[in-house]
Amino acid sequence: MHRQRGFILPMVIFSLAIMGVLVLVIMSTSDDDRLGSRYDLEGTRSFNAAEAGLATIFTNWKAQNYEGSVPLVGNTNVLAWTNLPSNGGRYRGTILKADASTYMITVDGQSAGARKGLRTVQMMLTPGVSFAYAVQGTGAVTFSGGSGTDSYDSDVGAYNVAGNKGANGDIYSAISIAIGEDTPPPIQGDSKSLGAIDCGPTDQSGTCDPNTTTPPPAPATVSCPVGPTYTALSISGTTTVLPVPPNAYYYSSITVSGGSGRLNFNFTTTPKQHVDVWVSGAVTVSGGAQINNLSQEPPLLTFWGCGTNTAKWTLSGGSDAFFAVYAPKHELVISGGSGFFGAFVGAKVTVSGGATRVHYDEALSRVPSIVLVPGSWTEITR
Amino acid sequence: MKPVRAGTRGLTILELLIAMVIGLVLLTGVYGVLINQSREYLVHRENVDVTETLRGAAVLLTSEIEHSAAVRDLVTIGASTLKLRSIQNAGVFCVDATPRYGVWLPSGLFGSGTDDSAFVRRVTDGAWVHTKVTQVWVNPGGGAPAATACPVAKWAGGGTPPRVVQLAYNPVGDSLGVRVGSAIRGFRMTTYSLTSSGGRWWLGRQIGAGTVDLITGPLQAGGLTFEYFDADGVVTATPANVVSIKVTLRAESFRKVRQLGGDLDNRFDDVSFTAYLRN
């Protein structure tokens, strides 16, 4: 029989071909959209990995001693790639010491995806100090004549008001601790030292840990900020008021003497702002003179013993001695028979005088160990 | 002449008509499928177009907002307009030859045009000082002034810094405290707004007082709105108090396509997100 050639089959094949092309075009368009979404997703994951890395570095700033890894201005420490536990992303941090007390942290982040996006964020920080002890000495610590410690929380209210008085006046020495016995015990808190400690119920109310195997990190020496002029401040028998702000003062030495000598810090803004007093030499407060923090909030006023100078600091207390002292290279002599509200970090530390009490402010333990520089966060391109 | 075999014959008119009718029915079916496929493709393509518009605008605006510091960078905040200093570059000074500074670890484009300015961080008090960038040298090969070489011993791989900038302070005293270790952030005054062009709406970007560039779109009329919130989550009209910005984008497709009901219309979609100022 003669084969009949119809036209339906070619038409159907032709139509199928057209539809196939259309489907391919649709798939191509969908694929472009899918790829775009994929790049967005991996870019976002990389960004989040970088952010997670930045947060991790901030969290571990003290524990990992990142400051110590870049001792000089201009030094850079490139950390190894670190995997994130959750989704397989990873980050790599770079720490640059930009200034004596300013660090720039740059963190690359990559997703675990096949294309491994790369996003980089950057932020700057200035290190802070968290005071964990009422008195901490890199040298010997001595309490005599009935002097001692206790604690309170300035965030709660005034000392010894409505029960705001505690037994967290802990002390630490990298050498040894001597305590004059008394009842109740002068140290209302724990005692810890790498060396010997006078231990007993007439010495401290809390634990006693001589020859400790769990010492705290040694307090780092702080550099004096470069740029400002350091002048000598000497007050004798008069009152000098320093307003806050500014947020920093710089002195080569501070001397306050004479029975009515006063160095008062007056906080003029609401809310009050913190002030740092940088001293490259000695501090001497004697003869009934006083350093007063008129806000009566110790976290607002910090004295920094900076640089390599090791001159003795002599402090006598007053009605408004509310401050923290961080001077790990300076011998501290604390006396006056009155209260100090705050915390002290020094080399050799001697506290004397029957009524001399260091009322450790627990709010100081909550001061962040780093301060992020506002306005410095940015995403950069590599 | 080829002889006709016995038993074979041609199609009758009736058979031919039946075959044509069946073929026509089949072709109509195929044509219908083709048309539907084509419509689906067009709808799909326009949907993708709308999605891309929204995605691009959202990524751009989120980045701009996240980089901003309320006090420093937000200039004008409006319901459909946001004028801010858009970050262009970053770095840290490794050498100070005031008013010239060597820039270490530079990122982004450093410019000295009319709309280029910078904030530099005064190390002594942490303040960001507004300054004008008057000249930029790009290295290697840019001929940076010799006095602006970074100390090699301190800045690993230092020497000629990748960028050198010359700044003009107003007042001049602002330069005090700007020195080695100061960070620089370069900006361009940028306005984002809902912009009309060709009878349609777009996300427009204007650098300084220049012409408005159409960044993405088209958007619907009223398709870009900003809401500004302070730290308590309350709407604020004060730039310095802004903590977060809620952005709502409503986009439409570039072309109209046949809808399910047969009407010819654009495809529409919208997205709303809140971005927080990071600085």
Side-chain angles (χ1 to χ4, degrees), chain B residues 59-121:
Chain B
V59 168
L60 175 65
L61 292 173
T62 300
S63 175
E64 291 284 23
I65 292 168
E66 284 187 338
H67 275 96
S68 297
V71 175
R72 185 186 65 186
D73 302 329
L74 294 189
V75 180
T76 305
I77 56 175
S80 61
T81 301
L82 175 60
K83 184 176 183 180
L84 47 70
R85 291 187 175 88
S86 173
I87 190 163
Q88 302 294 310
N89 55 65
V92 60
F93 293 158
C94 59
V95 63
D96 171 12
T98 307
R100 292 171 179 165
Y101 304 87
V103 182
W104 198 241
L105 297 177
S107 168
L109 299 171
F110 283 75
S112 56
T114 307
D115 302 308
D116 289 303
S117 65
F119 279 87
V120 289
R121 183 172 179 267

Short mmCIF file of all heavy atoms in Angstrom, two decimals, chain B residues 59-121:
data_model
loop_
_atom_site.label_atom_id
_atom_site.label_comp_id
_atom_site.label_asym_id
_atom_site.label_seq_id
_atom_site.Cartn_x
_atom_site.Cartn_y
_atom_site.Cartn_z
N VAL B 59 18.99 45.76 49.21
CA VAL B 59 20.41 45.56 49.56
C VAL B 59 21.13 46.91 49.63
O VAL B 59 21.89 47.19 50.56
CB VAL B 59 21.09 44.63 48.52
CG1 VAL B 59 22.60 44.65 48.68
CG2 VAL B 59 20.56 43.21 48.69
N LEU B 60 20.88 47.75 48.65
CA LEU B 60 21.56 49.06 48.60
C LEU B 60 21.18 49.92 49.80
O LEU B 60 22.06 50.47 50.49
CB LEU B 60 21.19 49.77 47.30
CG LEU B 60 21.72 51.20 47.14
CD1 LEU B 60 23.23 51.18 47.08
CD2 LEU B 60 21.15 51.85 45.89
N LEU B 61 19.89 50.05 50.06
CA LEU B 61 19.45 50.93 51.15
C LEU B 61 19.87 50.38 52.51
O LEU B 61 20.25 51.14 53.41
CB LEU B 61 17.93 51.12 51.08
CG LEU B 61 17.45 51.93 49.87
CD1 LEU B 61 15.93 51.91 49.79
CD2 LEU B 61 17.96 53.36 49.92
N THR B 62 19.83 49.05 52.67
CA THR B 62 20.26 48.46 53.93
C THR B 62 21.72 48.79 54.21
O THR B 62 22.11 49.18 55.31
CB THR B 62 20.07 46.93 53.92
OG1 THR B 62 18.69 46.65 53.71
CG2 THR B 62 20.52 46.30 55.22
N SER B 63 22.54 48.64 53.20
CA SER B 63 23.97 48.92 53.36
C SER B 63 24.20 50.38 53.74
O SER B 63 24.98 50.68 54.64
CB SER B 63 24.71 48.58 52.06
OG SER B 63 26.06 48.96 52.16
N GLU B 64 23.51 51.28 53.04
CA GLU B 64 23.68 52.70 53.33
C GLU B 64 23.26 53.03 54.76
O GLU B 64 23.93 53.77 55.48
CB GLU B 64 22.85 53.54 52.35
CG GLU B 64 23.35 53.51 50.92
CD GLU B 64 24.58 54.38 50.69
OE1 GLU B 64 25.30 54.64 51.66
OE2 GLU B 64 24.82 54.77 49.54
N ILE B 65 22.14 52.48 55.17
CA ILE B 65 21.62 52.79 56.51
C ILE B 65 22.53 52.20 57.58
O ILE B 65 22.84 52.85 58.58
CB ILE B 65 20.18 52.25 56.66
CG1 ILE B 65 19.24 53.04 55.76
CG2 ILE B 65 19.72 52.33 58.11
CD1 ILE B 65 17.86 52.42 55.61
N GLU B 66 23.00 50.96 57.37
CA GLU B 66 23.85 50.32 58.37
C GLU B 66 25.15 51.08 58.59
O GLU B 66 25.70 51.09 59.68
CB GLU B 66 24.14 48.88 57.97
CG GLU B 66 22.98 47.93 58.20
CD GLU B 66 23.35 46.49 57.95
OE1 GLU B 66 24.33 46.24 57.22
OE2 GLU B 66 22.66 45.61 58.48
N HIS B 67 25.65 51.69 57.55
CA HIS B 67 26.93 52.41 57.68
C HIS B 67 26.78 53.77 58.36
O HIS B 67 27.77 54.41 58.67
CB HIS B 67 27.56 52.61 56.30
CG HIS B 67 28.37 51.44 55.85
ND1 HIS B 67 27.88 50.46 55.04
CD2 HIS B 67 29.64 51.07 56.14
CE1 HIS B 67 28.82 49.54 54.83
NE2 HIS B 67 29.90 49.89 55.49
N SER B 68 25.59 54.20 58.56
CA SER B 68 25.38 55.57 59.03
C SER B 68 25.48 55.69 60.54
O SER B 68 25.15 54.77 61.28
CB SER B 68 24.00 56.07 58.58
OG SER B 68 23.92 56.11 57.18
N ALA B 69 25.97 56.85 60.96
CA ALA B 69 25.87 57.27 62.35
C ALA B 69 24.87 58.41 62.37
O ALA B 69 24.99 59.35 61.57
CB ALA B 69 27.21 57.73 62.89
N ALA B 70 23.89 58.34 63.24
CA ALA B 70 22.79 59.30 63.18
C ALA B 70 23.28 60.74 63.25
O ALA B 70 22.91 61.58 62.42
CB ALA B 70 21.80 59.01 64.32
N VAL B 71 24.12 61.02 64.21
CA VAL B 71 24.57 62.40 64.42
C VAL B 71 25.45 62.86 63.26
O VAL B 71 25.38 63.98 62.80
CB VAL B 71 25.33 62.52 65.75
CG1 VAL B 71 25.92 63.91 65.92
CG2 VAL B 71 24.41 62.18 66.91
N ARG B 72 26.27 61.93 62.78
CA ARG B 72 27.27 62.31 61.79
C ARG B 72 26.75 62.29 60.37
O ARG B 72 27.08 63.17 59.56
CB ARG B 72 28.46 61.33 61.92
CG ARG B 72 29.65 61.65 61.05
CD ARG B 72 30.69 60.54 61.15
NE ARG B 72 30.20 59.28 60.60
CZ ARG B 72 30.87 58.13 60.66
NH1 ARG B 72 32.01 58.08 61.28
NH2 ARG B 72 30.36 57.03 60.12
N ASP B 73 25.93 61.31 60.03
CA ASP B 73 25.67 61.02 58.61
C ASP B 73 24.27 61.32 58.11
O ASP B 73 24.08 61.50 56.92
CB ASP B 73 25.99 59.55 58.33
CG ASP B 73 27.43 59.20 58.69
OD1 ASP B 73 28.29 60.10 58.57
OD2 ASP B 73 27.69 58.07 59.11
N LEU B 74 23.28 61.29 58.98
CA LEU B 74 21.92 61.56 58.50
C LEU B 74 21.73 63.07 58.39
O LEU B 74 21.88 63.80 59.36
CB LEU B 74 20.88 60.96 59.45
CG LEU B 74 20.84 59.44 59.56
CD1 LEU B 74 19.64 58.99 60.37
CD2 LEU B 74 20.83 58.79 58.18
N VAL B 75 21.36 63.52 57.20
CA VAL B 75 21.24 64.96 56.97
C VAL B 75 19.78 65.37 56.90
O VAL B 75 19.34 66.26 57.61
CB VAL B 75 21.98 65.36 55.67
CG1 VAL B 75 21.85 66.85 55.41
CG2 VAL B 75 23.46 64.96 55.78
N THR B 76 19.02 64.73 56.02
CA THR B 76 17.59 65.02 55.88
C THR B 76 16.82 63.72 55.87
O THR B 76 17.16 62.79 55.12
CB THR B 76 17.32 65.78 54.56
OG1 THR B 76 18.14 66.95 54.51
CG2 THR B 76 15.86 66.18 54.47
N ILE B 77 15.79 63.67 56.70
CA ILE B 77 14.98 62.45 56.72
C ILE B 77 13.55 62.83 56.35
O ILE B 77 12.92 63.65 56.99
CB ILE B 77 15.05 61.74 58.09
CG1 ILE B 77 14.63 62.67 59.23
CG2 ILE B 77 16.46 61.22 58.35
CD1 ILE B 77 14.58 61.96 60.58
N GLY B 78 13.06 62.23 55.28
CA GLY B 78 11.71 62.51 54.81
C GLY B 78 10.96 61.23 54.54
O GLY B 78 11.53 60.13 54.56
N ALA B 79 9.68 61.36 54.25
CA ALA B 79 8.84 60.19 54.07
C ALA B 79 9.23 59.38 52.83
O ALA B 79 9.09 58.16 52.80
CB ALA B 79 7.38 60.61 53.96
N SER B 80 9.74 60.09 51.80
CA SER B 80 10.17 59.35 50.61
C SER B 80 11.55 59.81 50.15
O SER B 80 11.96 59.56 49.02
CB SER B 80 9.16 59.55 49.47
OG SER B 80 9.06 60.91 49.13
N THR B 81 12.26 60.50 51.05
CA THR B 81 13.59 61.01 50.74
C THR B 81 14.51 60.76 51.92
O THR B 81 14.14 60.98 53.07
CB THR B 81 13.54 62.53 50.46
OG1 THR B 81 12.66 62.76 49.36
CG2 THR B 81 14.92 63.06 50.12
N LEU B 82 15.70 60.31 51.63
CA LEU B 82 16.72 60.12 52.66
C LEU B 82 18.03 60.70 52.15
O LEU B 82 18.60 60.20 51.18
CB LEU B 82 16.89 58.64 52.99
CG LEU B 82 18.00 58.28 53.99
CD1 LEU B 82 17.77 58.96 55.32
CD2 LEU B 82 18.08 56.77 54.17
N LYS B 83 18.48 61.76 52.82
CA LYS B 83 19.74 62.38 52.44
C LYS B 83 20.77 62.06 53.50
O LYS B 83 20.57 62.35 54.69
CB LYS B 83 19.57 63.90 52.30
CG LYS B 83 20.82 64.62 51.80
CD LYS B 83 20.54 66.11 51.61
CE LYS B 83 21.75 66.83 51.03
NZ LYS B 83 21.49 68.27 50.84
N LEU B 84 21.85 61.45 53.07
CA LEU B 84 22.87 61.03 54.04
C LEU B 84 24.26 61.11 53.43
O LEU B 84 24.42 61.30 52.22
CB LEU B 84 22.59 59.61 54.54
CG LEU B 84 22.26 58.51 53.54
CD1 LEU B 84 23.45 58.10 52.69
CD2 LEU B 84 21.73 57.29 54.26
N ARG B 85 25.22 60.98 54.31
CA ARG B 85 26.60 60.88 53.83
C ARG B 85 26.86 59.40 53.55
O ARG B 85 26.84 58.58 54.46
CB ARG B 85 27.58 61.43 54.87
CG ARG B 85 27.48 62.93 55.05
CD ARG B 85 28.56 63.47 55.96
NE ARG B 85 28.51 64.92 56.02
CZ ARG B 85 27.77 65.61 56.89
NH1 ARG B 85 27.05 64.97 57.79
NH2 ARG B 85 27.77 66.93 56.86
N SER B 86 27.09 59.11 52.30
CA SER B 86 27.29 57.72 51.89
C SER B 86 28.77 57.37 51.94
O SER B 86 29.60 58.05 51.32
CB SER B 86 26.76 57.54 50.46
OG SER B 86 27.08 56.27 49.99
N ILE B 87 29.08 56.31 52.68
CA ILE B 87 30.50 55.98 52.86
C ILE B 87 31.11 55.51 51.54
O ILE B 87 30.50 54.75 50.78
CB ILE B 87 30.69 54.93 53.97
CG1 ILE B 87 32.17 54.80 54.31
CG2 ILE B 87 30.09 53.59 53.57
CD1 ILE B 87 32.43 54.13 55.63
N GLN B 88 32.31 55.98 51.26
CA GLN B 88 33.01 55.64 50.03
C GLN B 88 34.33 54.94 50.28
O GLN B 88 34.81 54.19 49.44
CB GLN B 88 33.29 56.93 49.23
CG GLN B 88 32.05 57.72 48.88
CD GLN B 88 31.14 56.98 47.94
OE1 GLN B 88 31.57 56.47 46.91
NE2 GLN B 88 29.87 56.89 48.28
N ASN B 89 34.94 55.23 51.42
CA ASN B 89 36.26 54.66 51.65
C ASN B 89 36.57 54.63 53.14
O ASN B 89 35.87 55.25 53.94
CB ASN B 89 37.33 55.46 50.90
CG ASN B 89 37.29 56.95 51.25
OD1 ASN B 89 37.56 57.32 52.38
ND2 ASN B 89 36.94 57.79 50.28
N ALA B 90 37.62 53.91 53.48
CA ALA B 90 38.03 53.80 54.88
C ALA B 90 39.52 53.53 54.94
O ALA B 90 40.12 53.04 53.97
CB ALA B 90 37.25 52.69 55.58
N GLY B 91 40.12 53.83 56.06
CA GLY B 91 41.54 53.56 56.25
C GLY B 91 42.01 54.13 57.57
O GLY B 91 41.21 54.65 58.36
N VAL B 92 43.31 54.02 57.82
CA VAL B 92 43.88 54.54 59.06
C VAL B 92 45.20 55.21 58.71
O VAL B 92 45.93 54.75 57.83
CB VAL B 92 44.06 53.41 60.09
CG1 VAL B 92 44.98 52.33 59.58
CG2 VAL B 92 44.55 53.94 61.43
N PHE B 93 45.49 56.32 59.38
CA PHE B 93 46.70 57.07 59.06
C PHE B 93 47.93 56.39 59.66
O PHE B 93 47.95 56.05 60.85
CB PHE B 93 46.62 58.50 59.61
CG PHE B 93 45.55 59.34 58.93
CD1 PHE B 93 45.02 60.45 59.57
CD2 PHE B 93 45.11 59.04 57.66
CE1 PHE B 93 44.05 61.22 58.96
CE2 PHE B 93 44.14 59.80 57.03
CZ PHE B 93 43.60 60.91 57.69
N CYS B 94 48.95 56.20 58.81
CA CYS B 94 50.20 55.62 59.31
C CYS B 94 51.30 56.66 59.39
O CYS B 94 52.38 56.38 59.90
CB CYS B 94 50.63 54.45 58.44
SG CYS B 94 50.89 54.87 56.72
N VAL B 95 51.05 57.82 58.84
CA VAL B 95 52.03 58.90 58.95
C VAL B 95 51.28 60.23 58.91
O VAL B 95 50.27 60.37 58.22
CB VAL B 95 53.09 58.83 57.83
CG1 VAL B 95 52.47 59.02 56.47
CG2 VAL B 95 54.19 59.85 58.06
N ASP B 96 51.78 61.16 59.68
CA ASP B 96 51.13 62.47 59.81
C ASP B 96 52.08 63.55 59.31
O ASP B 96 53.13 63.79 59.92
CB ASP B 96 50.75 62.70 61.28
CG ASP B 96 50.28 64.12 61.54
OD1 ASP B 96 50.01 64.85 60.57
OD2 ASP B 96 50.16 64.48 62.73
N ALA B 97 51.75 64.14 58.18
CA ALA B 97 52.48 65.30 57.68
C ALA B 97 51.44 66.38 57.42
O ALA B 97 51.26 66.84 56.30
CB ALA B 97 53.26 64.96 56.43
N THR B 98 50.72 66.74 58.47
CA THR B 98 49.57 67.64 58.36
C THR B 98 49.85 68.77 57.37
O THR B 98 50.89 69.40 57.45
CB THR B 98 49.25 68.24 59.74
OG1 THR B 98 49.11 67.18 60.68
CG2 THR B 98 47.98 69.08 59.71
N PRO B 99 49.00 69.02 56.40
CA PRO B 99 47.66 68.46 56.22
C PRO B 99 47.62 67.19 55.36
O PRO B 99 46.55 66.82 54.90
CB PRO B 99 46.92 69.60 55.53
CG PRO B 99 47.98 70.20 54.66
CD PRO B 99 49.25 70.11 55.45
N ARG B 100 48.79 66.56 55.15
CA ARG B 100 48.81 65.34 54.35
C ARG B 100 49.00 64.14 55.26
O ARG B 100 49.74 64.20 56.24
CB ARG B 100 49.93 65.40 53.31
CG ARG B 100 49.68 66.43 52.23
CD ARG B 100 50.91 66.60 51.36
NE ARG B 100 50.67 67.59 50.31
CZ ARG B 100 51.64 68.13 49.59
NH1 ARG B 100 52.90 67.80 49.78
NH2 ARG B 100 51.34 69.02 48.65
N TYR B 101 48.36 63.07 54.88
CA TYR B 101 48.42 61.87 55.71
C TYR B 101 48.54 60.64 54.80
O TYR B 101 47.84 60.53 53.79
CB TYR B 101 47.16 61.72 56.57
CG TYR B 101 46.87 62.92 57.44
CD1 TYR B 101 46.13 63.99 56.95
CD2 TYR B 101 47.34 62.99 58.75
CE1 TYR B 101 45.86 65.09 57.74
CE2 TYR B 101 47.08 64.09 59.55
CZ TYR B 101 46.34 65.14 59.04
OH TYR B 101 46.08 66.24 59.83
N GLY B 102 49.43 59.74 55.20
CA GLY B 102 49.51 58.46 54.51
C GLY B 102 48.43 57.55 55.05
O GLY B 102 48.23 57.45 56.26
N VAL B 103 47.70 56.89 54.15
CA VAL B 103 46.58 56.04 54.56
C VAL B 103 46.98 54.57 54.44
O VAL B 103 47.37 54.12 53.36
CB VAL B 103 45.32 56.31 53.70
CG1 VAL B 103 44.16 55.44 54.18
CG2 VAL B 103 44.95 57.78 53.75
N TRP B 104 46.89 53.87 55.52
CA TRP B 104 47.20 52.44 55.57
C TRP B 104 45.91 51.64 55.48
O TRP B 104 44.88 52.09 55.94
CB TRP B 104 47.92 52.14 56.89
CG TRP B 104 48.66 50.82 56.89
CD1 TRP B 104 48.44 49.77 57.70
CD2 TRP B 104 49.74 50.46 56.03
NE1 TRP B 104 49.31 48.75 57.41
CE2 TRP B 104 50.12 49.15 56.38
CE3 TRP B 104 50.41 51.10 54.99
CZ2 TRP B 104 51.15 48.47 55.74
CZ3 TRP B 104 51.42 50.43 54.34
CH2 TRP B 104 51.79 49.13 54.72
N LEU B 105 45.98 50.47 54.86
CA LEU B 105 44.83 49.59 54.68
C LEU B 105 43.64 50.34 54.07
O LEU B 105 42.53 50.31 54.60
CB LEU B 105 44.41 48.97 56.01
CG LEU B 105 45.42 48.04 56.68
CD1 LEU B 105 44.88 47.57 58.03
CD2 LEU B 105 45.75 46.86 55.80
N PRO B 106 43.87 51.03 52.96
CA PRO B 106 42.74 51.77 52.37
C PRO B 106 41.73 50.83 51.73
O PRO B 106 42.10 49.76 51.24
CB PRO B 106 43.42 52.64 51.31
CG PRO B 106 44.61 51.84 50.89
CD PRO B 106 45.07 51.09 52.12
N SER B 107 40.51 51.22 51.75
CA SER B 107 39.45 50.45 51.10
C SER B 107 38.51 51.42 50.42
O SER B 107 38.17 52.46 50.98
CB SER B 107 38.69 49.63 52.14
OG SER B 107 37.50 49.09 51.59
N GLY B 108 38.09 51.09 49.21
CA GLY B 108 37.14 51.93 48.51
C GLY B 108 37.82 53.01 47.69
O GLY B 108 39.05 53.04 47.55
N LEU B 109 37.00 53.88 47.14
CA LEU B 109 37.50 54.92 46.25
C LEU B 109 37.72 56.22 47.01
O LEU B 109 36.81 56.74 47.65
CB LEU B 109 36.49 55.15 45.12
CG LEU B 109 36.23 53.93 44.22
CD1 LEU B 109 35.07 54.22 43.28
CD2 LEU B 109 37.48 53.57 43.44
N PHE B 110 38.93 56.74 46.95
CA PHE B 110 39.23 58.02 47.57
C PHE B 110 39.12 59.10 46.49
O PHE B 110 39.77 59.00 45.45
CB PHE B 110 40.64 58.03 48.16
CG PHE B 110 40.74 57.29 49.47
CD1 PHE B 110 40.73 55.92 49.52
CD2 PHE B 110 40.83 58.00 50.66
CE1 PHE B 110 40.81 55.24 50.72
CE2 PHE B 110 40.91 57.33 51.87
CZ PHE B 110 40.90 55.95 51.91
N GLY B 111 38.31 60.09 46.73
CA GLY B 111 38.13 61.15 45.76
C GLY B 111 38.27 62.52 46.41
O GLY B 111 38.18 62.65 47.64
N SER B 112 38.52 63.52 45.57
CA SER B 112 38.65 64.88 46.08
C SER B 112 37.72 65.82 45.33
O SER B 112 38.00 67.00 45.16
CB SER B 112 40.10 65.37 45.96
OG SER B 112 40.53 65.27 44.62
N GLY B 113 36.61 65.29 44.85
CA GLY B 113 35.65 66.10 44.11
C GLY B 113 34.84 67.01 45.01
O GLY B 113 35.00 67.02 46.24
N THR B 114 33.95 67.75 44.37
CA THR B 114 33.14 68.71 45.11
C THR B 114 32.35 68.06 46.23
O THR B 114 32.20 68.63 47.31
CB THR B 114 32.15 69.39 44.13
OG1 THR B 114 32.88 69.91 43.03
CG2 THR B 114 31.40 70.52 44.82
N ASP B 115 31.88 66.86 45.98
CA ASP B 115 31.01 66.21 46.95
C ASP B 115 31.75 65.24 47.87
O ASP B 115 31.11 64.51 48.63
CB ASP B 115 29.89 65.47 46.21
CG ASP B 115 29.09 66.41 45.34
OD1 ASP B 115 28.63 67.43 45.87
OD2 ASP B 115 28.97 66.14 44.14
N ASP B 116 33.06 65.20 47.76
CA ASP B 116 33.83 64.30 48.62
C ASP B 116 34.26 65.02 49.89
O ASP B 116 34.84 66.11 49.84
CB ASP B 116 35.08 63.81 47.88
CG ASP B 116 34.73 62.85 46.77
OD1 ASP B 116 34.09 61.83 47.06
OD2 ASP B 116 35.09 63.12 45.62
N SER B 117 33.97 64.42 50.99
CA SER B 117 34.46 64.93 52.27
C SER B 117 34.83 63.73 53.12
O SER B 117 34.66 62.58 52.71
CB SER B 117 33.40 65.79 52.97
OG SER B 117 32.29 64.99 53.32
N ALA B 118 35.34 64.00 54.28
CA ALA B 118 35.76 62.88 55.14
C ALA B 118 35.58 63.26 56.61
O ALA B 118 35.54 64.44 56.96
CB ALA B 118 37.21 62.52 54.86
N PHE B 119 35.44 62.23 57.39
CA PHE B 119 35.52 62.39 58.84
C PHE B 119 36.79 61.67 59.30
O PHE B 119 37.03 60.53 58.89
CB PHE B 119 34.30 61.79 59.54
CG PHE B 119 33.10 62.69 59.51
CD1 PHE B 119 32.22 62.66 58.45
CD2 PHE B 119 32.86 63.57 60.56
CE1 PHE B 119 31.11 63.50 58.42
CE2 PHE B 119 31.75 64.40 60.53
CZ PHE B 119 30.88 64.37 59.46
N VAL B 120 37.56 62.35 60.09
CA VAL B 120 38.75 61.71 60.67
C VAL B 120 38.60 61.71 62.18
O VAL B 120 38.06 62.65 62.77
CB VAL B 120 40.05 62.41 60.24
CG1 VAL B 120 40.34 62.15 58.78
CG2 VAL B 120 39.98 63.90 60.50
N ARG B 121 39.07 60.65 62.78
CA ARG B 121 38.87 60.50 64.23
C ARG B 121 40.04 61.11 64.97
O ARG B 121 41.19 60.73 64.75
CB ARG B 121 38.73 59.03 64.60
CG ARG B 121 38.46 58.82 66.08
CD ARG B 121 38.15 57.38 66.37
NE ARG B 121 37.90 57.19 67.79
CZ ARG B 121 38.84 56.84 68.66
NH1 ARG B 121 40.07 56.64 68.27
NH2 ARG B 121 38.55 56.69 69.94
#
